[in-house]
Amino acid sequence: MTESMSESRAIHRRLLLAGAGIVITALLGCAATILIAASTLGALTSDINGILDLAAATEDLQLAVSDQEMYAFDYSIAGETAALDGYREAESRELRAFEHLQEAAVPPAVAAAASKVRELTVAWRTNWIEPFMDGVASGRTMTGPAYAQTRATYDAPMMAAVDELAALVAADQAAAFSRAQAASGMIGVLLAPIGVVSMIVIGLTWW
C-alpha cells in the first residue's frame, strides 16, 4: 500500500514537472511572439507616419505653388498690397514644405523629384512670376506672344514636375498601406495561438 502511494506521488510529481515545463515553454513562446508582434507594429506605425508626413508636405507644396500664381494674378487685376502679402506668405509655405521634404527619410526617386521641383520653382519664380508682378507694378501690359512664351517656358514644366512628385508620393503611400495590411494579417496569425496557449496554461494550472 505504501509503495503504491509512493509510486503515485512520484508519478504525480513527474507530471507536475512536465506540466511546469510545458507552461514555461508556452509562456516563453508567448513572450517571443508578443515581442515580434510589437516590433512589427512599431515598424509599421513608423512607416505609415512617415508616408503621411511626406504626403502632407507634398500637398502643402502643391497648394503653396498654386497660391503664388493665384496671388500674382490677383495683384495684376487689383494691384492691392494684400495680394503681395499673400504671395510672400505662399512662397514661405513653399520653402517650409521643401524643408520638410529634405528632413524626411524619403525614397531616392521622391528625393530626386523633389530636387527637380525645387530647381524649377526657383526658375519659375525668378524668370516668370516675379518679372510678371514687376511689370504689373510698373504699368506695363503683360500680354502678347512674348509673355505667353515666357509663361509656357517656365510654368508648364514646373507644374508637370510637381504633379510627378505628387504621383510618386501617392504610389509610395499606396505601397505603405499595402504593407500595413499584409503586416496586420501577419500579426493576427502570430497572436492567434496565444489564446490557445493561454487556455492550456490555465488548464494545467488548475489540474
Side-chain angles (χ1 to χ4, degrees):
M1 183 73 170
T2 304
E3 290 180 3
S4 177
M5 291 179 62
S6 297
E7 185 177 350
S8 177
R9 289 195 195 97
I11 293 172
H12 188 66
R13 282 196 298 271
R14 285 197 295 270
L15 288 173
L16 285 176
L17 289 173
I22 293 172
V23 169
I24 292 171
T25 302
L27 290 175
L28 289 174
C30 288
T33 300
I34 291 171
L35 286 174
I36 292 171
S39 176
T40 302
L41 185 60
L44 177 62
T45 301
S46 178
D47 190 23
I48 292 297
N49 287 340
I51 196 65
L52 289 177
D53 287 345
L54 183 58
T58 303
E59 184 177 356
D60 289 345
L61 174 61
Q62 288 179 295
L63 290 173
V65 170
S66 177
D67 285 351
Q68 285 176 71
E69 192 164 38
M70 178 189 71
Y71 283 119
F73 283 119
D74 285 350
Y75 179 69
S76 72
I77 294 170
E80 295 179 352
T81 55
L84 285 177
D85 293 340
Y87 171 83
R88 295 302 177 194
E89 190 273 336
E91 182 182 3
S92 296
R93 285 192 284 119
E94 176 199 326
L95 295 176
R96 287 197 297 272
F98 275 120
E99 288 174 358
H100 195 162
L101 287 170
Q102 289 173 348
E103 292 169 357
V106 300
V110 173
S115 179
K116 180 180 178 181
V117 170
R118 177 63 179 150
E119 179 182 340
L120 290 174
T121 53
V122 170
W124 170 76
R125 190 164 36 250
T126 303
N127 296 291
W128 185 69
I129 282 288
E130 294 194 350
F132 169 77
M133 295 172 70
D134 290 342
V136 170
S138 64
R140 296 197 305 272
T141 302
M142 303 301 291
T143 58
Y147 158 80
Q149 179 60 44
T150 301
R151 181 181 181 186
T153 299
Y154 295 101
D155 191 67
M158 184 274 297
M159 291 297 184
V162 171
D163 290 343
E164 180 183 354
L165 173 62
L168 286 171
V169 172
D172 282 347
Q173 186 172 14
F177 288 154
S178 294
R179 290 193 297 272
Q181 187 175 14
S184 297
M186 185 186 74
I187 290 173
V189 171
L190 286 172
L191 294 180
I194 291 180
V196 177
V197 171
S198 299
M199 294 301 296
I200 294 173
V201 171
I202 291 170
L204 290 171
T205 301
W206 282 94
W207 179 71

